[in-house]
Amino acid sequence: MNMSQRQSILGVMVLLTTINLLVIIALQISPFGDGMDPSLTLYGGFSLLILGALLAAYWRGWEPARYIVVIYMTVAIALITPEPFVTGYASLTLFVPPALALILAEPAWVVGSTATLYAILLARAGGQGTYANPLTILLCSITIGSMIVARLVTDTALRSARENARHTEEAKAYAERQAGELAEANELMSRQLDQQQMLLELVTTLETPAVTLANGVLFAPIVGHIDTRRAQALTTRLLQQASEQRARLIILDVAGVSAMDTSVAQALLNTTRALRLLGCAVSLSGISASVAMTLINQGINLEGVTTVRSPQEALAQYLGTAAPSARGGGAAPG
């Protein structure tokens, strides 16, 4: 489990406070406690109070508390380090404040803590002793320098990881936005395709209308140019209408056809044949003089197709044929 910087700082401060408490308890229950300086217990209680207050302050969000802990520990260790660790021997406690500064503060505080601690110990030794030894100074400098370099490397790696995480989140958000935009575009395109399909169906209906003129009679005016698609749509629609309405006659009016050539004539012939298979008669009306000349010049034969001059004539012929049949059917019983 990854631990945040705040959790690490809280852990160190809790550890310091706990160690201080354990030291006080140890002093009280130790069999040698009677011979010890009472000021140690007093100092331990004071230190516990300070560290506990700083822990509570940082827990509540007061950031300066961690820096005060570094300052307090630096000064406290520098002042309570006993002999012979001031003049005779270098104590390992020299590295405790820099280590705390490494965790609780920034790299600059490591240098400041070390320099302060060293200066106080050197002053207590009167400028002489082990802390004035160049070898001690060199070893201390190497150790502290290594700690600072390690911290800088760690900070760099952490910043790089955070930057990569930020880029990853941005890329993820961008991908999600792109996916959302693509989904919206697909939905919009789907709606547009549906609308276009409805418009095509509407256009197909409008360009090949079939109007009921009388019982069993459909009138289909054709306007404009007839191509393969429109011819197929015309045939399909007329077959459907003739079947649904049980039409006996369909009048195809070509007065609005812009040009009549072999392909158009063939399409009309195919439509006529298909309707006849349903038992429906077909009359072709509206052939103009220019269209008739074009058909003759191109050798187009409309043999088998009933032609009339107008839809009214076709309707009159149909009604005139149907009326005697109706009358004859009515006179038979008499």
Side-chain angles (χ1 to χ4, degrees):
M1 180 180 66
N2 293 330
M3 182 178 294
S4 65
Q5 182 183 18
R6 178 174 176 79
Q7 290 174 330
S8 301
I9 294 173
L10 282 172
V12 170
M13 293 177 71
V14 168
L15 180 62
L16 285 175
T17 306
T18 303
I19 291 174
N20 198 100
L21 177 62
L22 293 176
V23 169
I24 295 176
I25 296 175
L27 289 175
Q28 295 298 320
I29 65 176
S30 173
F32 304 101
D34 294 338
M36 291 185 178
D37 189 353
S39 63
L40 290 177
T41 303
L42 181 62
Y43 170 76
F46 175 77
S47 180
L48 179 63
L49 180 64
I50 295 295
L51 292 175
L54 291 174
L55 172 60
Y58 186 77
W59 185 281
R60 297 175 62 87
W62 193 51
E63 285 294 321
R66 56 187 176 125
Y67 300 105
I68 297 177
V69 169
V70 175
I71 296 173
Y72 172 74
M73 292 300 297
T74 300
V75 175
I77 290 177
L79 294 178
I80 67 173
T81 299
E83 289 287 358
F85 299 107
V86 176
T87 58
Y89 304 99
S91 174
L92 291 179
T93 56
L94 176 68
F95 301 108
V96 172
L100 291 175
L102 196 67
I103 300 174
L104 301 181
E106 289 75 35
W109 281 75
V110 177
V111 177
S113 175
T114 304
T116 301
L117 177 62
Y118 208 94
I120 294 175
L121 291 174
L122 193 60
R124 287 181 61 190
Q128 300 178 358
T130 185
Y131 296 108
N133 190 332
L135 181 59
T136 303
I137 297 174
L138 178 61
L139 292 176
C140 182
S141 300
I142 293 174
T143 304
I144 298 302
S146 300
M147 294 170 61
I148 294 175
V149 170
R151 171 62 185 273
L152 293 176
V153 171
T154 303
D155 288 347
T156 301
L158 182 60
R159 283 195 300 269
S160 178
R162 289 175 177 172
E163 188 70 14
N164 291 336
R166 185 178 65 83
H167 288 320
T168 301
E169 289 297 325
E170 291 177 353
K172 180 181 178 181
Y174 177 76
E176 290 176 350
R177 288 196 303 270
Q178 289 290 98
E181 292 174 358
L182 287 176
E184 292 178 359
N186 288 336
E187 184 179 355
L188 177 61
M189 185 175 296
S190 178
R191 290 198 301 266
Q192 290 177 344
L193 289 176
D194 292 340
Q195 292 174 356
Q196 290 177 359
Q197 183 63 32
M198 294 174 61
L199 289 174
L200 287 175
E201 293 176 357
L202 177 62
V203 169
T204 300
T205 302
L206 294 177
E207 69 180 1
T208 57
V211 182
T212 302
L213 292 182
N215 186 21
V217 180
L218 293 178
F219 172 61
I222 304 174
V223 180
H225 175 69
I226 299 179
D227 54 15
T228 303
R229 181 198 62 80
R230 191 177 179 195
Q232 181 65 34
L234 173 66
T235 303
T236 302
R237 182 165 179 77
L238 290 179
L239 287 174
Q240 180 182 359
Q241 292 289 332
S243 176
E244 292 176 354
Q245 301 187 26
R246 299 183 180 277
R248 293 186 293 275
L249 172 65
I250 292 183
I251 304 172
L252 295 178
D253 185 73
V254 296
V257 176
S258 57
M260 180 75 73
D261 54 16
T262 304
S263 61
V264 176
Q266 187 61 45
L268 293 176
L269 288 174
N270 291 338
T271 302
T272 300
R273 294 190 188 102
L275 291 170
R276 283 177 175 173
L277 291 176
L278 294 180
C280 183
V282 180
S283 292
L284 189 63
S285 69
I287 298 179
S288 64
S290 59
V291 171
M293 290 299 298
T294 301
L295 294 175
I296 294 174
N297 292 334
Q298 295 184 2
I300 300 174
N301 186 7
L302 296 179
E303 184 178 357
V305 179
T306 302
T307 59
V308 294
R309 285 175 294 182
S310 65
Q312 292 81 359
E313 181 179 342
L315 181 60
Q317 289 179 0
Y318 171 75
L319 295 177
T321 302
S325 299
R327 288 195 297 270

